[in-house]
Amino acid sequence: MSPTPAEPPHPERAAAAEPARGADPGDAAAPNGPAVSRPEFDRIFEAVRTWGRWDPADRGAWNRVTEEHVRRATGHVRSGRVVPMALPWNTRPGPDNRKPALHHMTDLGDVESPEPTTHKDFLAADYHGKGVTHLDALSHIAYRGRLYDGRAAHECVDAAGARFGTVAALGPLVTTGVLLDLPAVLGVRWLEPGRAVRAKDVLAAEKALGVTIGEGDAVLLRSGHVRRRAELGAWDPDAASAGFHVDAVPLLAERGVCLLGGDGDSDVRPSPVPGVHSPVHALAVTAMGVPLLDNLDLEALSAATEEAGRYTFLLVVAPLNVPGGTGSPVNPVAVL
């Protein structure tokens, strides 16, 4: 049996589920709030940053995952059920896919000799958007001109790619994954776009789901984005999407997470921080050295974890080996 859902952390579900379109980010009652001033955001940035902690620095928080962490993570494999989490390769334009991925055939095998004939195709993607499941490496986000570890962005990234914080430097990750299934906790089908997931929501989810986020864990946030899109249609997630509020990040930093991911891009939108459009990206990637997984499909994992009655699993993330890359399309896999 799955854990009994707790009462929602927010006193009124209806208010918590109200869309943020048109909401004033400065209104503490707004679903994406409360607002965070720029000076307060900078104080949080300083409090959670881990610059100078690890060698090699451009693997950031993935340095937390030792061989012992990997061995412990394999203990979550019981049934052997494998759940992939990538969206289908998205070649159709839409409000959430302004730069569609490419896929076309380059060889149909009808003019070749001798046997066997072959069929070949071409793939390409401007993947740092909302349409492709991908990993953000540490070179992807700079704040005040600095990448993770205090490296000057203009010295590390140019038209040829990145020389620090690349996806090739990260390599693959095998660790314990923790699913924070907020719709399951709250008893709703999905979180409405613009709904912030705050520190108190994370703590309530841990209690309701019977999990405790630990050192070296990867945390995946399900908002129900994919389910909502399937039932109601696409919208512009740059304007409104459910995700973490800034006040959840110090808790995640204290727990020592190595990776954040979600069925959005981890940030609640609109941003609660004036002048910072992706504050969780800045705190996670640039301050903490924590890569991000964006645009996951967590619906099958939600069903699998509910059926298993547990919300932890072995997580495997194997990005493409792209020298100089700021990230990579990826198909993360959970094994229960």
Side-chain angles (χ1 to χ4, degrees), residues 182-196:
L182 264 292
V185 171
L186 298 173
V188 297
R189 295 171 70 77
W190 53 70
L191 304 185
E192 283 294 334
R195 164 69 151 84

Side-chain angles (χ1 to χ4, degrees), residues 20 46 71 127 160 177-178 215 300:
E46 290 300 313
R71 285 193 292 270
Y127 59 87
V178 178
E215 176 87 10

Side-chain angles (χ1 to χ4, degrees), residues 57-73:
D58 52 3
R59 297 192 75 245
W62 284 19
N63 285 292
R64 289 190 166 113
V65 182
T66 64
E67 291 179 351
E68 178 57 30
H69 280 91
V70 176
R71 285 193 292 270
R72 290 202 303 267

